[in-house]
Amino acid sequence: MQIVIDRQSKVPLYRQIVDRVRELILSGALPEGFRLPPERRLAEALGINRSTVLTAYRELKGQGLVDSHVGRGTSVRAPAAPAASDGGTTGLPWRQLFCERALRVQEPVVRDLLELTERRDVISLAVGLPAPELLPLELLREIFVRLVEDVGPPMLLHCPTEGHTPLRETLSRWLATRGMRCSPAEVLVLSGSQQGLDLVVRALVDPGDVVVVEEPTYVGMLPVLRGAQARVVGVPVDEDGMRTDLLATVLEHQRPKLIYTLPTFQNPSGAEMALRRRRELLELAARHRVPVLEDDPYSELRYDGSPVPSLKALDRNGQVIYLSTVSKLLFPGLRLGLLVAPRPVVRQLALLKQGSDLHASSVGQLLLDRFLSDGHYEPYLRRLRVAYSQRRDAMDAALEAGKAMGVRWKRPRGGFYYWCRLPDGVERSRLLAAASDVGVAFLPGEACFFEPPEQAYLRLNFSYPSPTQIRDGVGRLLEAVRRSIRVEHRPPAEAVGMPPVV
Ligand SMILES: Cc1ncc(COP(=O)(O)O)c(C=O)c1O
């Protein structure tokens, strides 16, 4: 199997490997069952990092081209038999018919994880969901019944693409209380904020355009950017948010079409961008005339400290597109998000949205409008903050046992996540297998980077599991970490105070 990589190319190294191996498989040069070289060997042969090969193999697996099993390596998969769901009557080889753009958006890590999360014996610290038992189901039922009585069948008809007008008015009033002055016409109601990411990228980014993202960044933005064939440039995040000194250098050398940032309780790192950095970012973006996409699902969930104004609240040039969601506070299944932008942007995005779903769910919008305008939101939010800050503290206490092994983290002031740096010597593929053995799921840090990082990280969610599950889950996780540290780096179990987990 011959692979030549071009270090000067703008195409990431792992992508070059994926493209070449895919070409060899589809041309028949690599037959079914052919064993790809072990990751370590290929990495050595190409003089690159092993995690780059790992990422490439994962993507090939996600594209359905190879299979991999712990202990048996990675081999070329048989072409899918034409099953009924694959178009069995015509027997078309669907996988091979998917265009390059579609195949770029496979995310095997996340898919594997969600599979693991469905197992009843697994404690999930992986997904970013609110706690189901804290959701105001009874209240929503009452609001729903009242809507049926007051509004009747029209509540189930279509509404404008930009959103139900009274909800846009309510949202614009609510945004003003957060320092964001905007008219209802500048608010676009979305089917979840993920749709906002897709629409903004579709509206602004042509193939080959540069997009600046934080490193690490929200895992769900990466497939959107891959699908758009964007050139992604990462700017590291530290505990004060995006490094604006490094952003300044990027902006001097590149002309990005978009800067994507999560300034408040960043997913995954939990970082909160300092006010000074927010001002610097806006100043840089204004000087270089680059739009900023501010993704803000978590700022309402603050457990310590005082609120810092959003970029949108600080924006004096109309260059920030603000995005938020009800998924982290209320029901993610309602699929409702909101976007705030200057009118021409809202108009263009609404046209694109029309082509994909006409409008967000009318029923959901009516429910949300009543929930907000009947004054339920603030008391509910106060209860959430108390419950989630207790869970955050439970996770902090449980992680203490990992310190002796070299696990490092910073306690987040808000949001849903702990971002942990793992000790040297952790074998990432072994960690996933060990976590599955002990029954715990987490998000591997590399899923949050466009280019795989040298250092191993993981993201842990504390909103969804109960405090007891947090304690058990973190205990299991630390055991998995201990097992996946290469023998020469591994401390004995007693030294890290771990009970055996079976
Ligand atoms: C930063 C960020 N952006 C967007 C989303 C998508 O959320 P929604 O459910 O509103 O589509 C999430 C969900 O995890 C998120 O964390």
Side-chain angles (χ1 to χ4, degrees):
M1 183 175 94
Q2 213 205 352
I3 298 181
V4 179
I5 53 168
D6 174 4
R7 285 172 193 285
Q8 307 310 321
S9 166
K10 295 267 187 299
V11 180
L13 294 177
Y14 88 92
R15 164 71 41 207
Q16 295 185 37
I17 299 173
V18 171
D19 290 347
R20 177 66 181 143
V21 175
R22 180 176 140 83
E23 183 188 314
L24 290 170
I25 293 175
L26 294 184
S27 69
L30 298 182
E32 174 192 340
F34 179 88
R35 282 270 190 92
L36 301 190
E39 292 141 17
R40 192 186 302 275
R41 188 139 55 78
L42 183 58
E44 277 166 14
L46 297 176
I48 59 177
N49 204 297
R50 186 170 162 226
S51 56
T52 308
V53 181
L54 186 70
T55 307
Y57 280 11
R58 281 213 183 113
E59 176 138 347
L60 286 163
K61 187 178 172 197
Q63 293 189 10
L65 293 167
V66 301
D67 268 329
S68 63
H69 296 282
V70 177
R72 273 190 282 145
T74 303
S75 51
V76 176
R77 203 172 149 176
S85 59
D86 263 0
T89 45
T90 53
L92 287 179
W94 283 109
R95 278 231 142 255
Q96 289 164 30
L97 291 175
F98 292 141
C99 65
E100 178 63 24
R101 211 173 53 245
L103 289 171
R104 277 175 187 269
V105 297
Q106 305 288 336
E107 284 301 297
V109 178
V110 176
R111 201 191 48 195
D112 290 356
L113 245 158
L114 291 176
E115 248 172 49
L116 197 62
T117 307
E118 279 179 359
R119 268 177 39 194
R120 282 178 164 269
D121 58 328
V122 170
I123 296 178
S124 178
L125 308 175
V127 287
L129 290 173
E133 68 278 16
L134 300 178
L135 296 176
L137 192 58
E138 184 50 31
L139 188 55
L140 239 66
R141 194 183 66 80
E142 285 166 23
I143 297 177
F144 185 83
V145 169
R146 260 187 286 131
L147 276 174
V148 172
E149 286 162 4
D150 299 351
V151 184
M155 71 185 271
L156 293 164
L157 300 181
H158 283 308
C159 71
T161 300
E162 290 82 354
H164 178 55
T165 308
L167 175 62
R168 293 171 83 199
E169 288 164 1
T170 305
L171 288 173
S172 112
R173 281 194 298 275
W174 177 81
L175 286 155
T177 65
R178 268 62 184 164
M180 290 174 268
R181 308 218 156 265
C182 61
S183 70
E186 290 168 303
V187 177
L188 176 65
V189 180
L190 300 165
S191 301
S193 58
Q194 185 69 37
Q195 181 177 55
L197 300 177
D198 182 58
L199 293 178
V200 171
V201 169
R202 277 205 278 146
L204 294 177
V205 180
D206 280 318
D209 280 347
V210 172
V211 175
V212 171
V213 301
E214 290 162 339
E215 253 181 348
T217 188
Y218 168 51
V219 58
M221 181 56 151
L222 295 178
V224 176
L225 294 173
R226 286 198 182 105
Q229 293 171 271
R231 281 202 291 129
V232 176
V233 175
V235 174
V237 168
D238 66 17
E239 60 189 60
D240 283 337
M242 189 195 279
R243 290 270 308 270
T244 37
D245 54 334
L246 300 179
L247 175 67
T249 314
V250 169
L251 294 180
E252 261 150 40
H253 296 97
Q254 319 254 8
R255 287 204 128 265
K257 288 296 282 292
L258 185 66
I259 299 171
Y260 172 61
T261 175
L262 303 97
T264 312
F265 314 135
Q266 206 240 18
N267 177 2
S269 71
E272 184 180 15
M273 192 184 284
L275 182 58
R276 175 183 47 84
R277 290 238 180 120
R278 290 177 193 233
R279 294 210 161 102
E280 281 165 8
L281 190 153
L282 288 174
E283 205 265 314
L284 283 167
R287 191 172 342 131
H288 294 273
R289 304 184 67 76
V290 187
V292 176
L293 176 56
E294 174 178 27
D295 193 358
D296 183 31
Y298 301 103
S299 62
E300 295 286 280
L301 296 167
R302 168 182 291 284
Y303 317 125
D304 304 321
S306 335
V308 182
S310 65
L311 292 173
K312 186 76 192 161
L314 296 168
D315 177 25
R316 296 289 166 264
N317 300 310
Q319 64 190 97
V320 175
I321 301 175
Y322 178 83
L323 195 57
S324 191
T325 177
V326 300
S327 292
K328 308 297 163 182
L329 304 170
L330 280 162
F331 298 88
L334 281 180
R335 304 308 302 131
L336 288 176
L338 69 128
L339 182 142
V340 185
R343 278 176 192 224
V345 181
V346 168
R347 227 173 285 130
Q348 186 59 49
L349 297 182
L351 288 173
L352 289 171
K353 180 173 161 59
Q354 218 161 44
S356 65
D357 70 352
L358 296 186
H359 59 78
S361 150
S362 327
V363 182
Q365 294 189 55
L366 287 167
L367 283 170
L368 178 62
D369 188 31
R370 288 271 170 109
F371 184 81
L372 293 172
S373 41
D374 288 356
H376 298 299
Y377 177 68
E378 294 294 341
Y380 168 66
L381 181 61
R382 280 197 290 277
R383 284 198 300 279
L384 278 190
R385 285 185 184 137
V386 171
Y388 288 151
S389 69
Q390 284 165 355
R391 291 176 191 217
R392 185 238 358 220
D393 295 346
M395 184 160 274
D396 216 73
L399 279 168
E400 274 299 310
K403 263 194 183 150
M405 250 187 315
V407 178
R408 295 287 177 267
W409 68 93
K410 188 166 183 318
R411 193 168 116 117
R413 287 191 286 264
F416 270 9
Y417 309 106
Y418 269 78
W419 180 242
C420 301
R421 206 184 79 191
L422 295 177
D424 292 339
V426 165
E427 291 220 49
R428 296 177 207 193
S429 50
R430 242 160 79 178
L431 178 58
L432 279 176
S436 164
D437 288 348
V438 297
V440 66
F442 61 88
L443 182 73
E446 60 268 27
C448 306
F449 290 82
F450 199 74
E451 287 289 346
E454 287 289 314
Q455 187 72 42
Y457 295 91
L458 46 86
R459 188 197 77 178
L460 303 179
N461 165 265
F462 57 81
S463 56
Y464 181 69
S466 67
T468 312
Q469 286 173 323
I470 289 174
R471 273 188 291 278
D472 285 358
V474 171
R476 293 179 191 198
L477 175 80
L478 293 177
E479 171 58 15
V481 171
R482 197 185 65 77
R483 288 186 195 176
S484 59
I485 297 177
R486 267 182 237 111
V487 179
E488 62 276 21
H489 292 262
R490 195 180 297 175
E494 319 78 70
V496 286
M498 301 289 308
V501 179
V502 282

